[in-house]
Amino acid sequence: MKIVVVGASHGGHEAAHEALTRYENAEVTVYEAGDFVSFMSCGMQLFLEGKVTDRDDVRNFKPADLEKFGGKVLTKHEVTGIDTDAKKVTVKNWATGESFEDSYDKLIISSGVTPATIPVPGNDLENVYLMRGRDWATKINDKLHDDSVKSVVVVGTGYIGIEAAEVFAKAGKKVTVIDLINRPLGNYLDEELADKVRTELEANGINLHLGHTVAAFEGEGTLTGVKDDAGQSFDADLAIVAAGVKPNTKYLEGTIDLDQRGWIKTDPYLRTSAKDVYAIGDAILPLFAPAGQPAPIALASTARREARYVIETMTMEKPARSFAGVNGSSALPVFDYNLATTGVNANNAEKMNLKIASSLYQATVRPEFVTNGNPEILIKLIFNPDTHAIMGGQVLSKADVTAHANTIALAIKAKMTLEDLAEADFFFQPGYDRQWSVLNLAAQTALGEIPSV
């Protein structure tokens, strides 16, 4: 069985590894357009803060990790077209400039996304950067240690934007963050938790200019400032644009079905419109399990789960089960805070027209008599108001309580209700937790058994 994988990031690596270790007859070739396999962008902040062994160690895998199982990984090889009738791909070798064809029995597309640029004047000025991939990591690291860079404007308050803002603020730069969303991390956190993050960012010298868009990047050849939609300008020696992504699917137009924004259409088994062609990773809209709807969920964990499912079922005419979907679980440190989120929140519930209710639990992590290392914790639960089924959760504290989000994610997967979580059997030791776990207490608060804050 000859398997061709397009793209060598998380999904591509997982698909290739699963195929090589699951099927004795698998012949696997991974084509990667870039020249490096495979920088982990979610580790960029750690690299920029000097918390890793080396830049090139921040990677998903090395080609040798697949080659030892008999796989082939070819960098600077871009798949530029697919003939789904002949079951062949056209590949451009950027090292030689030559193109060639390769055949496949099964084709797995994991070509990912590209950071979106902002279509405004000046977006091509020098020192307007994106924050994704190894090359950008190198450039950003140079600017981080450049004393001539004094003012930085970050566009976007998602994870990438907040990471960039924190890194440059810690380096002593003057940082302004611009976004149309009116709260930091607004796509991930509800207002009560986002307000804590806002206070933390501002306490560390970051200027949040929210509720505005970028109208222009200013300068002659090189960036000198960023102007917003109200005409206000901010000095900028560097701009980091973290304003979303677009799928790398231009080469697929007219070959397999895409939606109006270029996302690859897949069925419940992650099959595309072409026979024996599958799609995984950031360029598809997987099932967002708590909502029962497809949604863009650009996470390494999502891509790996999709890849594992595809390899498990790709030899079946009709798989016994469809892809179970994902919760979109993620976590982030923001200066002294640790946050994690999973499933439905107020923002995506509104976009998906979901009927939800929510409750906030706020207390200290451990009993009040514990004086050492006992910070505040906030837990927001999202649930179905009729059935009490748990649909989402967010946690925030200056203690590392992020693992609680994994428990909430498991509760969603198991279709647990508030009643289930309210009396779930967790350990108690006052150096770690309360007599009732904070998750028990969050559920009991949602049920009205404990006064809400």
Side-chain angles (χ1 to χ4, degrees):
M1 181 169 57
K2 190 172 183 179
I3 301 171
V4 168
V5 179
V6 182
S9 192
H10 293 279
H13 168 235
E14 185 71 29
H17 181 265
E18 291 276 348
L20 289 165
T21 55
R22 188 183 292 264
Y23 300 113
E24 292 184 1
N25 66 333
E27 177 186 335
V28 180
T29 301
V30 180
Y31 290 113
E32 167 58 40
D35 62 356
F36 184 81
V37 174
S38 157
F39 186 80
M40 189 181 297
S41 290
C42 53
M44 189 182 294
Q45 182 176 359
L46 294 172
F47 160 65
L48 294 172
E49 292 183 346
K51 297 178 179 178
V52 301
T53 52
D54 184 76
R55 177 199 61 185
D56 289 351
D57 293 338
V58 187
R59 64 197 306 179
N60 303 316
F61 72 104
K62 301 183 292 294
D65 296 336
L66 293 180
E67 290 166 352
K68 68 183 180 182
F69 294 106
K72 292 191 295 184
V73 182
L74 300 176
T75 60
K76 291 187 177 180
H77 281 67
E78 181 178 5
V79 173
T80 58
I82 301 171
D83 184 336
T84 57
D85 294 325
K87 301 184 78 170
K88 292 182 178 180
V89 293
T90 301
V91 183
K92 177 72 175 280
N93 181 344
W94 287 105
T96 66
E98 298 175 339
S99 292
F100 62 91
E101 289 185 337
D102 192 10
S103 63
Y104 65 84
D105 297 312
K106 305 288 184 181
L107 177 63
I108 301 172
I109 299 171
S110 183
S111 48
V113 294
T114 300
T117 56
I118 304 176
V120 299
N123 67 358
D124 58 347
L125 289 173
E126 186 178 347
N127 292 341
V128 177
Y129 283 11
L130 303 173
M131 191 167 167
R132 190 182 182 95
R134 177 173 173 266
D135 291 344
W136 284 114
T138 303
K139 294 178 181 179
I140 291 170
N141 192 52
D142 290 342
K143 293 297 182 183
L144 186 67
H145 299 94
D146 185 343
D147 291 339
S148 69
V149 176
K150 300 185 184 304
S151 297
V152 179
V153 171
V154 176
V155 183
T157 58
Y159 279 13
I160 295 173
I162 295 302
E163 286 178 331
E166 179 173 346
V167 165
F168 279 96
K170 285 178 176 177
K173 315 296 185 182
K174 179 182 178 183
V175 179
T176 297
V177 180
I178 301 175
D179 200 338
L180 181 60
I181 297 175
N182 63 5
R183 63 181 185 269
L185 299 173
N187 287 329
Y188 304 93
L189 297 180
D190 290 358
E191 186 174 357
E192 303 95 331
L193 285 77
D195 283 347
K196 297 283 187 180
V197 173
R198 179 198 299 270
T199 300
E200 183 76 358
L201 293 170
E202 292 175 340
N204 283 276
I206 295 173
N207 175 34
L208 296 175
H209 188 65
L210 307 182
H212 292 277
T213 59
V214 171
F217 296 100
E218 301 175 308
E220 296 293 332
T222 300
L223 180 75
T224 58
V226 179
K227 181 184 288 185
D228 76 357
D229 52 0
Q232 183 175 356
S233 291
F234 299 88
D235 292 340
D237 303 305
L238 176 69
I240 304 289
V241 178
V245 295
K246 56 184 179 181
N248 290 326
T249 56
K250 187 73 175 175
Y251 72 103
L252 298 173
E253 291 180 358
T255 302
I256 63 173
D257 291 345
L258 308 175
D259 73 7
Q260 67 275 13
R261 296 185 60 193
W263 304 103
I264 301 170
K265 292 184 177 180
T266 59
D267 69 6
Y269 308 102
L270 302 181
R271 302 178 297 196
T272 71
S273 58
K275 182 174 175 57
D276 293 321
V277 179
Y278 304 80
I280 60 177
D282 296 354
I284 74 168
L285 302 179
L287 175 66
F288 183 37
Q293 300 179 33
I297 303 176
L299 293 169
S301 53
T302 295
R304 290 191 177 276
R305 283 158 178 77
E306 293 163 349
R308 179 179 174 86
Y309 171 82
V310 164
I311 298 302
E312 177 188 332
T313 61
M314 68 191 315
T315 59
M316 305 175 186
E317 186 65 29
K318 184 176 181 181
R321 64 180 182 92
S322 59
F323 179 60
V326 293
N327 293 334
S329 306
S330 59
L332 186 73
V334 180
F335 291 102
D336 289 340
Y337 273 109
N338 301 283
L339 65 92
T341 177
T342 185
V344 173
N345 58 44
N347 178 69
N348 56 35
E350 182 178 2
K351 291 179 179 178
M352 295 181 167
N353 295 314
L354 301 176
K355 183 180 180 182
I356 64 167
S358 65
S359 177
L360 179 69
Y361 171 75
Q362 187 172 351
T364 53
V365 173
R366 302 171 182 88
E368 287 84 351
F369 62 77
V370 177
T371 58
N372 183 31
N374 193 18
E376 180 183 56
I377 182 173
L378 282 75
I379 301 179
K380 184 79 177 280
L381 291 180
I382 310 294
F383 54 94
N384 183 303
D386 299 322
T387 66
H388 290 179
I390 298 168
M391 300 174 67
Q394 302 152 49
V395 298
L396 178 75
S397 178
K398 291 186 177 180
D400 184 0
V401 295
T402 51
H404 286 314
N406 281 334
T407 304
I408 298 172
L410 188 60
I412 296 170
K413 173 79 172 178
K415 303 186 185 304
M416 291 175 63
T417 63
L418 293 176
E419 287 81 359
D420 295 325
L421 186 58
E423 59 183 34
D425 186 5
F426 300 116
F427 77 84
F428 165 60
Q429 209 289 334
Y432 295 104
D433 208 340
R434 290 173 167 266
Q435 292 92 334
W436 285 103
S437 163
V438 290
L439 290 181
N440 295 137
L441 295 168
Q444 291 167 17
T445 299
L447 290 168
E449 299 170 4
I450 299 175
S452 182
V453 294

